[in-house]
Amino acid sequence: MTGLELPVALFLLINLVVALVAAGRGPTPADRMLTALLFGSTGVGMLVLLAQAMHLPALVDVALTLALLAAIAGVAFVRRAWHGGVHDERGN
């Protein structure tokens, strides 16, 4: 442990606050989804850093779960957006 884990985790937390402001201003749903994915990836990074700094290996499991949920949310959004914007031959 180099002692840089906690300052980097604090930097990532500040990044999440800025992302929260951006999520409120996002003009399109895609912008908001990208912000949600940023929350997932930054949250994973913070949890892994804190797991290393605090010697809590269980936080790595939580980080992996968060990464899986963020990936599933991204795929669900893309599937919904893709099928929502495409009309079939009948115009439906």
Side-chain angles (χ1 to χ4, degrees):
M1 179 165 62
T2 63
L4 287 176
E5 289 89 355
L6 293 177
V8 172
L10 180 65
F11 171 75
L12 291 174
L13 181 63
I14 292 169
N15 186 18
L16 281 179
V17 171
V18 172
L20 182 62
V21 172
R25 293 184 179 176
T28 66
D31 292 332
R32 292 189 178 107
M33 188 62 216
L34 285 173
T35 305
L37 291 174
L38 175 68
F39 269 95
S41 60
T42 304
V44 168
M46 283 179 51
L47 286 170
V48 169
L49 283 170
L50 291 176
Q52 178 67 27
M54 299 170 62
H55 305 291
L56 293 173
L59 284 180
V60 175
D61 295 336
V62 175
L64 291 174
T65 304
L66 181 60
L68 180 62
L69 288 174
I72 290 171
V75 169
F77 175 79
V78 168
R79 287 183 55 104
R80 182 172 177 242
W82 185 272
H83 292 300
V86 176
H87 299 287
D88 61 10
E89 295 171 359
R90 294 175 290 182
N92 294 330

